[in-house]
Amino acid sequence: MSLTLNSPLDMHLHLRDDAMLSHVAPYTAEQFAGAMVMPNLLPPLTTKEAIDAYRKRIETATGRDDFRPYMTLFLKETLSYERLVELKPSIIAVKLYPSGVTTNSDTGLASIDVEGLRPTLEAMSELDIPLSIHGETNGFVMDREKEFMPIFEALAAAFPKLKIIMEHISSKEAITTLDKYPNLYATVTVHHLLLTLDDVIGGMLQPHTFCKPIIKTPADRDAIQRAVLSGHPKIMFGSDSAPHPKEKKESAAGSAGIFSAPVVLPLLADFFDRHGKLDLLQGFVSDHAQNIYGITPPEHIVTLEKAEWVVPEQIFDVVPLFAGQKISYRLVK
Ligand code: NCD
Ligand code: ZN
């Protein structure tokens, strides 16, 4: 049995730079027609010049014309209408990180003040530039996303024409908030769709499933599964694949981030198949994102077949999600 997907999109991806970029980018480029690339490099991407140069390095690393990187700007300071006009051809969205909530987010916003952000967000609304948000507070780790919901609500209400993307949602509360405002959208990762906190700390400590937001309870996972399996048009796939070298993960102070890029489409095919919903996979991995962002990705047909394979233990110096485990679908190359 095989299935084809038309121009799949990964709407939340970390590609890093230099050697890491050249090793990880091909895994995404062979499975996807495009990906929204996160700006949390060191230093973060805050200028048009830096973004354009990074796009070129990604294009060199992937080396294919049927893969398009969709770039983002790291929101560090207010942005004038004029600066946004200049940035618009180079970016698909502006990314907001609250300071300190995840990897390389220290220079993000120290506080989210709706009125202080008004000039920037009104200009973005007018120019139709979406705002992508890592929605977590600095509170107790399991409650950080839930605690951020009033901020999503305040922003969605104050800027009704601004498209706001709730990135990598991981909680049942996020699904409820998503449905309250027409201008809220969300990405869902494969790990928040399939795993629970038991897969991180339920047995032996699993550093390779440690990420932000932390993977949560069965009730949270079930709420995300129900929303995705309903074909929710405001929910799109974003892997949040975030590679860190093995020694940074298997460490006394392990980095947050899961390298899922090599396995995402096979895992999604298996998940939708098990639930008898393979017909909804195309929407989740491409059509919803095309509608939400108003993009037409390159033509790139991807074929998957139902055939078991074992995920490599290590790729470059990174341990991928499901390393050493069997997956029932594989990419036809
Ligand atoms: C990401 C990273 O490593 O860049 N880490 C993560 O745990 N998801 C950053 C992020 O998206 O939060
Ligand atoms: Zn991310």
Side-chain angles (χ1 to χ4, degrees):
M1 214 264 291
S2 73
L3 66 110
T4 58
L5 294 168
N6 222 324
S7 299
L9 292 167
D10 179 348
M11 297 312 288
H12 183 130
L13 177 68
H14 301 268
L15 284 174
R16 316 303 190 204
D17 215 338
D18 305 314
M20 181 70 96
L21 167 64
S22 61
H23 282 95
V24 303
Y27 289 94
T28 295
E30 69 179 359
Q31 293 172 77
F32 294 93
M36 179 159 127
V37 181
M38 290 296 133
N40 63 332
L41 300 184
L42 284 178
L45 299 177
T46 55
T47 67
K48 181 179 167 65
E49 293 66 37
I51 291 167
D52 290 342
Y54 186 40
R55 179 194 297 101
K56 290 210 180 81
R57 297 199 294 282
I58 294 169
E59 284 165 355
T60 304
T62 55
R64 354 184 5 149
D65 53 17
D66 60 359
F67 175 79
R68 181 167 305 158
Y70 295 101
M71 310 304 290
T72 55
L73 174 98
F74 188 105
L75 183 63
K76 210 175 88 174
E77 59 212 348
T78 54
L79 298 165
S80 68
Y81 186 88
E82 294 69 32
R83 266 204 80 198
L84 285 162
V85 167
E86 197 189 20
L87 283 160
K88 187 173 154 96
S90 294
I91 60 172
I92 187 172
V94 169
K95 178 74 191 274
L96 187 165
Y97 289 94
S99 161
V101 296
T102 191
T103 304
N104 302 349
S105 64
D106 294 354
T107 54
L109 299 190
S111 66
I112 297 169
D113 160 24
V114 173
E115 287 316 307
L117 284 168
R118 185 171 288 280
T120 303
L121 299 186
E122 277 180 351
M124 284 170 56
S125 307
E126 208 167 308
L127 293 164
D128 199 19
I129 301 174
L131 177 66
S132 152
I133 303 184
H134 184 120
E136 288 197 284
T137 65
N138 289 303
F140 172 63
V141 68
M142 288 291 279
D143 293 337
R144 286 175 193 172
E145 185 171 285
K146 181 170 73 181
E147 287 173 5
F148 200 89
M149 293 302 129
I151 304 176
F152 276 127
E153 297 208 12
L155 291 169
F159 307 101
K161 293 210 183 83
L162 180 67
K163 284 183 177 153
I164 301 173
I165 322 299
M166 306 165 70
E167 295 292 344
H168 41 52
I169 54 171
S170 63
S171 60
K172 54 189 188 319
E173 290 81 8
I175 301 287
T176 309
T177 303
L178 171 68
D179 286 330
K180 278 197 204 164
Y181 293 86
N183 56 329
L184 289 180
Y185 303 88
T187 55
V188 165
T189 72
V190 81
H191 46 274
H192 293 109
L193 186 65
L194 299 181
L195 307 180
T196 72
L197 190 58
D198 270 354
D199 298 296
V200 189
I201 55 168
M204 304 281 269
L205 176 65
Q206 299 295 317
H208 301 291
T209 55
F210 171 60
C211 68
K212 299 294 173 61
I214 193 84
I215 297 172
K216 297 192 172 62
T217 68
D220 292 306
R221 179 191 57 182
D222 294 352
I224 290 168
Q225 289 191 351
R226 273 196 303 277
V228 167
L229 291 171
S230 76
H232 201 306
K234 296 206 296 173
I235 299 182
M236 55 199 153
F237 176 62
S239 69
D240 196 18
S241 179
H244 292 275
K246 184 176 177 182
E247 73 272 11
K248 289 256 168 91
K249 296 286 290 173
E250 299 177 5
S251 149
S255 299
I258 296 176
F259 179 46
S260 58
V263 294
V264 283
L265 283 187
L267 286 177
L268 288 175
D270 174 63
F271 171 75
F272 279 79
D273 189 6
R274 274 189 286 117
H275 289 86
K277 292 281 163 88
L278 268 178
D279 55 318
L280 296 179
L281 182 56
Q282 175 66 34
F284 180 59
V285 297
S286 186
D287 302 353
H288 301 172
Q290 291 191 42
N291 293 335
I292 293 165
Y293 280 102
I295 51 174
T296 306
E299 192 62 24
H300 185 163
I301 307 284
V302 174
T303 304
L304 295 153
E305 63 178 349
K306 201 163 188 174
E308 211 168 73
W309 62 293
V310 178
V311 180
E313 295 285 353
Q314 194 168 326
I315 289 173
F316 185 45
D317 63 348
V318 190
V319 177
L321 181 64
F322 278 66
Q325 296 182 50
K326 286 186 190 141
I327 299 187
S328 69
Y329 273 86
R330 76 171 172 214
L331 193 69
V332 179
K333 300 194 189 179

